[in-house]
Amino acid sequence: MDKPEKLMIDGKRLDGRSPEELRPFKIVAGALERADGSAYVEMGNNKVFAAVYGPREMHPRHHALPDQAVLRCRYNMAPFSVDDRKKPGPNRRSIEISKVTREALEPVMFLELYPRSVIDVFVEVLQADAGTRTAGINAASVALADAGIPMKDLVSSVAVGKVEETVVMDLFKEEDQWGTTDMPIAMIPRKKAITLLQMDGHFTEEEFKYALDLASRGCTQIYEAQRQALKEKYTMRKEEE
Amino acid sequence: MDKPEKLMIDGKRLDGRSPEELRPFKIVAGALERADGSAYVEMGNNKVFAAVYGPREMHPRHHALPDQAVLRCRYNMAPFSVDDRKKPGPNRRSIEISKVTREALEPVMFLELYPRSVIDVFVEVLQADAGTRTAGINAASVALADAGIPMKDLVSSVAVGKVEETVVMDLFKEEDQWGTTDMPIAMIPRKKAITLLQMDGHFTEEEFKYALDLASRGCTQIYEAQRQALKEKYTMRKEEE
Amino acid sequence: MDKPEKLMIDGKRLDGRSPEELRPFKIVAGALERADGSAYVEMGNNKVFAAVYGPREMHPRHHALPDQAVLRCRYNMAPFSVDDRKKPGPNRRSIEISKVTREALEPVMFLELYPRSVIDVFVEVLQADAGTRTAGINAASVALADAGIPMKDLVSSVAVGKVEETVVMDLFKEEDQWGTTDMPIAMIPRKKAITLLQMDGHFTEEEFKYALDLASRGCTQIYEAQRQALKEKYTMRKEEE
Amino acid sequence: MAEIVSRVKRDYIASLIQQGKRADGRATDQFREVSVEKDLIKTADGSARVKIGKTHVLVGVKLQKGEPFPDTPDSGVLIVGSELLPMASPTFEVGPPREEAIELARVVDRGIRESESIDLDKLVIKSGEEVWSVFIDIDVLDHDGNLIDASALAAIAALTDVKALKEEGWTLPEFPLKEKPVAVTVVKVNGKLIVDPKLDEEQVMDARLTIVTTEDDSICAMQKGCAGSFQKEEIEQAYVIARGKAAELRKLLG
Amino acid sequence: MAEIVSRVKRDYIASLIQQGKRADGRATDQFREVSVEKDLIKTADGSARVKIGKTHVLVGVKLQKGEPFPDTPDSGVLIVGSELLPMASPTFEVGPPREEAIELARVVDRGIRESESIDLDKLVIKSGEEVWSVFIDIDVLDHDGNLIDASALAAIAALTDVKALKEEGWTLPEFPLKEKPVAVTVVKVNGKLIVDPKLDEEQVMDARLTIVTTEDDSICAMQKGCAGSFQKEEIEQAYVIARGKAAELRKLLG
Amino acid sequence: MAEIVSRVKRDYIASLIQQGKRADGRATDQFREVSVEKDLIKTADGSARVKIGKTHVLVGVKLQKGEPFPDTPDSGVLIVGSELLPMASPTFEVGPPREEAIELARVVDRGIRESESIDLDKLVIKSGEEVWSVFIDIDVLDHDGNLIDASALAAIAALTDVKALKEEGWTLPEFPLKEKPVAVTVVKVNGKLIVDPKLDEEQVMDARLTIVTTEDDSICAMQKGCAGSFQKEEIEQAYVIARGKAAELRKLLG
């Protein structure tokens, strides 16, 4: 992939979006059969499943905590999800993303309700297009709710960044690779509480503040879609009854 | 090793055998000192030891089963047993062979007699010449009997295959490499029960049926030698008493 | 590093020492903050920390012994401690050195005083210059005493070797690489008990006997410095009180 | 740790099968609903999703330049991997592939390799130096039994989805796929043979036999599994069942 | 296994902070004593030791010839590793690096990489074939909290200690260091923000935010950690604190 | 987990040795029956089996073309590996080699390397590019004590079994074996020195010392093991024993 000459043309991005616009996205609750809860998310060309098992007994037992559940997250990319085949198994990047995913979700959990047990969250990226961790968090959040696990609220996530001096919403692959800055954020939108914040690149103070606002707007839009997905799943269940 | 021009000449194979003939073989019961039971097998140029330990306590204990013994098999090749030195340690091939070896032996075991315990079977290939898994099963079967572990019967094993349109017994290295088909089989010869069946290559329905018959004949011959080996060991023991 | 033309010139070594002379060395007790006991040692250009934790509970518990403490040693080199960056993690060399370090220290321990527990000794080489294992043992011995763990005596260690037919004390890097023989030794100097002995190279019987004597002299010098280091630490503590 | 099914349920399933019936009403030789979808993953050169009942497998194929194996300098390389994702079943664990996953990948590999499904000799860029490697990666997303058949079908479907590359070094008009092998696993429960076992049926099976057949009904690979055994007649009967079912499944490849 | 601090002590530390005080008498925005020493390790091309209170980190930099990454043929390679040595804390275990050590190395890496601190383009020996690899290895010798700030400071200090090599292939007058990014971690306890948490303060923190800034006060990397969350205002406040502290710490680099 | 021998038996063995006797009637400086067989493995370039009592070790040597180490461009490569096969003892476990197996391989390696047994400089095909690698792999089939002596003897025996290769790149008239180092391990029990400990004797030993000597009785390698210590006089005595026993064992190499 060669670097494009420009990443912004006449105020529009290479995929035709305005700087403030999210990519098309799709959120489905209950997308898998076996898991206690699950979700499928597309954000642009990202395709991601999340599955939740638990609360269930922890193995091995000495990893359990006496006064709360352990939340375990595993972010994984399918070997065919990226341009150069990814060797199966965890690497340093996926271990870090698994950690920040867990920390993005923990603020909405009531882990103290389930001492000695574990809640497992598995994120599988089938097709990657920049922002896989945010898509994974969006899916995981819905999957947790779909599993019927009590939560304070949903967590919503999007990356903002900077492309040729413009702060933009929800980077896609070319922007991620050739842009200046990438800042994935997760929030509890109604509380404006930020649960994930990472940043690589360059922001002045002003850009940074604007980026936080922009991310907040993006998360709110995704939050609505997450709720809608859960509502649809619930309605379908009701109809089936 | 270059491909020979022909693998069959005037109805004979490159090592002089007829299509229905086994390679020379040798089976010795009680070939090792430390194990609870052991055996040494040569089939053609294969040289294989098997050793059995158990029934013994399972470590770690949570791998034990409450109502039966666990049968564990480990098939391993010595680094010098093949033309290109094999890196020590398990690989995908050896893990699969360990699994099918275990499944070939399980039908004759009374695992329910030894709840919470483990029976370990170790197969070590010192020199390989096609058919190592069948030699390993033949050795393991004798080693289990030598260990005094109750068994319904012995398991006997041989590979049949196809070489230039002829179905042949007990492939050797050149036939395995350049022939069309390889089908390792293990049986309980007296019950005609097939406990291992794998196949790679090409068989028509008729070839396949004939190959099953041929394998059955080979297994019966090996079965007699396995019993003879155990008898000799038992006689020697008696004489020593 | 090319091989020097000569390693001994006019009875002197390349770093100006006589054959019987130790490199300059420095031993500090209590060099780290968190460990229960610690030490820092320089021998020539070697820079080594040792830290001791314990006696403490063993994890996992089934590794504990019912009638004594387990002594665990881990020798590790920092990636930047050698000319060609060392990949992090244990290798065969470091596993062997960890083993002989443990066996060099065990003779002075009263492990039977602490059943079911573990004493951990960690050696970290920050800068290597031949003889790292001996520097590590010297540091570990002081760190154990600094941790207040009862010991029969201190263990002191030095390598002797042969350079162009001369038996020499305390090899430095060029001598280790281009000399004939390397013999690391650890002793309990007051008992003349040898607790570590390894040798690579070539010794006649006479050379070997002389080398043992030379090592004994070196260990005695180091022993005095180890005691001095502990005394200074103890005095400082007293003064602080 | 296997999933635990109560003894009562196991006995019920097994005794039904003995009577030629199944808990979900299927005939002994009847598959659950099977769907095959292709061209789902842009980052792969070919992809397919197979669902058999609640079992759900996704396969992606990637072609990459690499070195040939030293003993086959004039052949492309075929590599099949599989991940029994922990999301697919409460009993699948995080970690390196265990024997079940390895066997799955190796049986799928053998069906494709031994049927000469891919003309690997055409995938040479420079003899002995550079060839195309075909990576077939199996992602198991939902496990409700019969993973081998689902994975083998998804793998061959994904291969039919591979188009000619637009990369330097690719000179073929299309991906050289010559044969469509199909795996059918026949399972023995209480002396009866059934196809397409659900997970709870797998938990009562004595033995299984996977038979991979090609379009002319000949056999290119087999694999027996589990602690039980087969009589010769059962194996011959399994073959007849497998070739019939394979023909049905092959139609779904389009 | 985290180090266990009694509930009483935890409550005491947390309630002090809520009152704007700290157990060791520091102000909320005050670091412990910080020392930076350089040029300690002859076998390294650059080295530095940073002590922040009882926290003690040693970093060595090594330059070695190697191949560039295929997608950046005209850039040197930067690799950051870290070892949370078991000697540094009773809770650090022997074994491959766990997520805490990996995150530490990756945050330090990003600060250096994203600030373009090292001019990697100058570290090419032959385009696409041979480049200088910069290995930054972090050895944590004593852990009493705030490892990220100590490690990042030691890493940039060690880089300032790298001299021009005398090896074949090295043609630069000096090591091409362009920027000195400094990481400051701001921690939230009971709704208050503090800097430079000691280990016992880390055990009561709700969340932490590391902000890496460059000499012009702009941000080049950030990383939020722990199970809590931040309000936007807190993050903006954290940035103001971080840039102030970074300027102080940068002076110690000499 | 060590094999457990009852305290009574341990005390019996140890007190016997203190009286200069051994449970199996041997003298303190007497080996069990030692047998050396060669040329057993066709797939190896050299092989040997050594039995010492019930201890049984098989060694295979393979020569393969490979790259030299960067710092020795004009030398062949020597690599010694060992597997303490789980079949050899109820206490050996499946898994990567542990410290006992690593020490075993490294002591055998040092004896061969430091005696310059193999003239590695003759094993260069093209300086800095291609050399012969000598792989010595030790398979321990039965463990009844004294593995180091058995393995070292089997290794040197297998090297004497290596013939000139018929492969391209091999130009030597024979395998360049210059020296036959022999390892003898002397063990201290209750203050007495014995050779060739059986497993139950190893379980009561205080310390062991392996001394590898060459044909002129000089020492090329040593390794002390176990939790005890030696006096200087004991070490000198051990050397006298070892060189005597080495001469005996060397005769078995033929």
Side-chain angles (χ1 to χ4, degrees), chain A residues 32-34 45 47 49-51 53 56 74 76 78-85 88 122 124 126-128, chain D residues 3 40-44 54 56 58 60 62 64 83 85-90 94 135 137 139 141-143 199:
Chain A
L32 295 171
E33 299 281 352
R34 297 301 315 280
N45 283 322
K47 296 186 176 188
F49 276 102
Y53 285 92
R56 58 180 175 178
R74 187 226 194 197
N76 188 57
F80 46 78
S81 65
V82 281
D83 283 335
D84 289 324
R85 176 179 182 267
F122 301 114
E124 180 75 5
L126 296 178
Q127 185 175 287
Chain D
E3 282 187 65
L40 302 160
I41 305 295
K42 281 176 203 274
T43 44
K54 292 185 173 179
H56 178 172
L58 204 144
K62 307 255 314 167
Q64 290 188 188
E83 284 208 78
L85 296 174
M87 66 170 42
S89 158
V94 169
F135 289 93
D137 282 293
D139 244 26
L141 295 165
D142 261 318
H143 171 30
L199 189 59

Side-chain angles (χ1 to χ4, degrees), chain A residues 71-73 99-111 121 123 136-142 144 151 153-156 186 188 195-196, chain E residues 224 227:
Chain A
L71 181 66
R72 280 195 302 210
C73 291
K99 179 179 190 290
V100 298
T101 297
R102 185 185 72 232
E103 293 172 338
L105 297 169
E106 276 178 325
V108 295
M109 307 294 293
F110 294 100
L111 295 176
V121 175
V123 171
I137 289 167
N138 290 330
S141 178
V142 172
L144 282 162
M151 293 161 77
D153 204 338
L154 295 174
V155 174
S156 310
I188 312 169
T195 67
L196 170 98
Chain E
K224 179 256 173 186

Side-chain angles (χ1 to χ4, degrees), chain C residues 107-108 152-153 187-194, chain F residues 229-231:
Chain C
V108 295
K152 296 167 194 163
D153 204 338
M187 299 182 77
I188 312 169
R190 288 198 296 194
K191 288 194 182 173
K192 302 278 175 213
I194 294 165
Chain F
S229 64
F230 286 102
Q231 293 296 311

Side-chain angles (χ1 to χ4, degrees), chain F residues 55-74:
Chain F
T55 288
H56 178 174
V57 170
L58 205 143
V59 168
V61 176
K62 307 249 325 162
L63 305 184
Q64 290 188 187
K65 291 176 190 170
E67 282 180 38
F69 289 118
D71 53 343
T72 54
D74 294 310

Side-chain angles (χ1 to χ4, degrees), chain A residues 2-240:
Chain A
D2 290 331
K3 182 171 179 171
E5 246 179 74
K6 293 184 77 61
L7 290 164
M8 298 280 293
I9 298 171
D10 297 340
K12 292 277 176 195
R13 299 152 75 179
L14 292 190
D15 60 357
R17 281 185 291 157
S18 76
E20 303 82 17
E21 205 176 337
L22 288 171
R23 290 176 285 185
F25 62 93
K26 174 179 164 183
I27 301 176
V28 179
L32 295 171
E33 299 281 352
R34 297 301 315 280
D36 296 329
S38 61
Y40 173 69
V41 165
E42 293 183 5
M43 286 175 75
N45 283 322
N46 291 303
K47 296 186 176 188
V48 174
F49 276 102
V52 169
Y53 285 92
R56 58 180 175 178
E57 212 182 324
M58 171 72 103
H59 291 284
R61 266 185 225 173
H62 65 270
H63 286 179
L65 297 178
D67 53 353
Q68 62 163 93
V70 171
L71 181 66
R72 280 195 302 210
C73 291
R74 187 226 194 197
Y75 164 98
N76 188 57
M77 296 188 105
F80 46 78
S81 65
V82 281
D83 283 335
D84 289 324
R85 176 179 182 267
K86 192 204 150 281
K87 239 185 90 194
N91 54 27
R92 289 159 57 97
R93 176 181 171 276
S94 74
I95 290 170
E96 188 196 356
I97 295 180
S98 296
K99 179 179 190 290
V100 298
T101 297
R102 185 185 72 232
E103 293 172 338
L105 297 169
E106 276 178 325
V108 295
M109 307 294 293
F110 294 100
L111 295 176
E112 64 281 6
L113 291 181
Y114 307 103
R116 305 196 171 281
S117 64
V118 62
I119 296 169
D120 275 307
V121 175
F122 301 114
V123 171
E124 180 75 5
V125 178
L126 296 178
Q127 185 175 287
D129 176 42
T132 57
R133 81 192 67 188
T134 66
I137 289 167
N138 290 330
S141 178
V142 172
L144 282 162
D146 181 50
I149 294 173
M151 293 161 77
K152 295 166 195 164
D153 204 338
L154 295 174
V155 174
S156 310
S157 183
V158 74
V160 292
K162 186 164 70 169
V163 166
E164 290 168 6
E165 306 307 313
T166 306
V167 175
V168 299
M169 175 89 90
D170 193 15
L171 306 172
F172 73 109
K173 197 152 83 182
E174 276 76 5
E175 292 173 339
D176 183 46
Q177 181 159 12
W178 305 112
T180 310
T181 310
D182 178 29
M183 183 166 85
I185 283 194
M187 300 183 77
I188 312 169
R190 289 197 295 195
K191 288 194 181 172
K192 301 279 174 212
I194 293 164
T195 67
L196 170 98
L197 175 58
Q198 296 184 289
M199 190 274 235
D200 295 351
H202 181 270
F203 268 152
T204 62
E205 184 173 2
E206 290 64 38
E207 289 165 345
F208 174 46
K209 288 180 177 173
Y210 174 69
L212 285 175
D213 283 334
L214 189 61
S216 177
R217 277 189 270 154
C219 288
T220 303
Q221 286 175 261
I222 286 159
Y223 178 70
E224 293 308 323
Q226 288 172 305
R227 285 173 44 126
Q228 187 59 32
L230 286 162
K231 211 158 147 193
E232 278 165 26
K233 170 82 186 296
Y234 184 73
T235 315
M236 271 172 54
R237 255 193 220 146
K238 279 283 185 202
E239 282 167 5
E240 279 167 9

